[in-house]
Amino acid sequence: AQSVTQLGSHVSVSEGALVLLRCNYSSSVPPYLFWYVQYPNQGLQLLLKYTSAATLVKGINGFEAEFKKSETSFHLTKPSAHMSDAAEYFCAVSDLSGGYNKLIFGAGTRLAVHP
Amino acid sequence: GAVVSQHPSWVICKSGTSVKIECRSLDFQATTMFWYRQFPKQSLMLMATSNEGSKATYEQGVEKDKFLINHASLTLSTLTVTSAHPEDSSFYICSASTDMNTEAFFGQGTRLTVV
């Protein structure tokens, strides 16, 4: 079975500092991997996705993530944090069992950005 | 991009009543729709997968008779919480995808409060 582990339920950074949100996955087959952002009482917005093309994936709002098969990781980074980046971030892996595209989510990481 | 709309955004109902939540794909045909449940400060847990014209597939531990899912068309799926109780209070989110798409598009979520 596939699973996702997000290390650190809370991450706090200063405005302008590097953002690093960690995600490790477990999968017996090549996975699709996603990062989503959620603002309070809202749905999920896709930041970026890895679908077995380039291992370094660039997303919206300056975020990027690198797929490292040897480390089974898909960490999310942003060079310089902005106050508007404060939100909940979810890493997800695609479970293609049964021919359906459904997502298995990590527990989430709450990012706080302080002045 | 593809748009998925949920209605209502929030609902308050009395204990023992039923509540219907709609999930619509506005600009694409969604062969498959997924229903997730999110408790406060927790991750999303998949409840069920619905395919147009067939019965939904429920995840282990999800009561089929309590959470009725209907996917009557390629643009609409509904989730009905029957005989709702306070413990059913949660944030319900749907997503939709097509066979040709590796990305699932999310609705904005529905906040259900049972009093």
Side-chain angles (χ1 to χ4, degrees):
Chain A
Q2 295 178 315
S3 65
V4 175
T5 302
Q6 289 183 241
L7 295 176
S9 59
H10 291 80
V11 171
S12 181
V13 300
S14 299
E15 189 174 19
L18 171 72
V19 175
L20 171 60
L21 304 182
R22 299 179 186 276
C23 173
N24 289 88
Y25 69 91
S26 171
S27 176
S28 59
V29 298
Y32 292 162
L33 294 159
F34 306 80
W35 274 100
Y36 287 88
V37 61
Q38 184 182 36
Y39 296 97
N41 293 312
Q42 293 188 29
L44 276 69
Q45 180 182 13
L46 180 67
L47 285 175
L48 50 80
K49 60 183 177 182
Y50 167 77
T51 56
S52 64
T55 56
L56 181 62
V57 181
K58 294 186 182 298
I60 62 172
N61 301 340
F63 285 95
E64 64 180 39
E66 185 173 6
F67 172 71
K68 292 186 176 181
K69 184 178 179 180
S70 61
E71 299 178 6
T72 60
S73 68
F74 190 57
H75 302 330
L76 181 70
T77 61
K78 181 174 181 178
S80 177
H82 193 272
M83 296 296 288
S84 61
D85 294 327
E88 187 85 19
Y89 291 80
F90 292 98
C91 181
V93 62
S94 179
D95 181 350
L96 298 178
S97 62
Y100 300 130
N101 177 7
K102 62 183 182 181
L103 301 177
I104 299 169
F105 286 88
T109 298
R110 183 166 297 276
L111 175 65
V113 182
H114 51 86
Chain B
V3 179
V4 176
S5 177
Q6 271 184 252
H7 179 80
S9 297
W10 58 271
V11 58
I12 301 173
C13 70
K14 291 185 177 180
S15 185
T17 63
S18 295
V19 175
K20 180 183 287 188
I21 302 170
E22 293 186 347
C23 179
R24 294 181 183 271
S25 57
L26 299 185
D27 51 3
F28 70 101
Q29 292 187 327
T31 307
T32 306
M33 288 188 173
F34 305 91
W35 287 95
Y36 294 85
R37 182 174 183 177
Q38 185 181 29
F39 288 106
K41 299 184 180 181
Q42 295 187 29
S43 188
L44 285 76
M45 299 301 295
L46 180 66
M47 299 174 66
T49 303
S50 74
N51 288 281
E52 186 266 338
S54 62
K55 290 183 178 180
T57 301
Y58 290 81
E59 296 298 303
Q60 191 173 7
V62 178
E63 299 176 59
K64 301 179 182 181
D65 296 332
K66 181 165 188 63
F67 299 100
L68 301 179
I69 293 173
N70 183 281
H71 194 161
S73 76
L74 286 172
T75 59
L76 174 64
S77 176
T78 60
L79 167 66
T80 301
V81 183
T82 63
S83 186
H85 288 90
E87 57 265 30
D88 298 323
S89 299
S90 188
F91 195 57
Y92 293 88
I93 306 176
C94 72
S95 70
S97 67
T98 67
D99 287 339
M100 299 297 293
N101 206 328
T102 59
E103 177 180 347
F105 300 97
F106 283 81
Q108 75 272 31
T110 297
R111 169 82 52 201
L112 170 64
T113 301
V114 185
V115 297

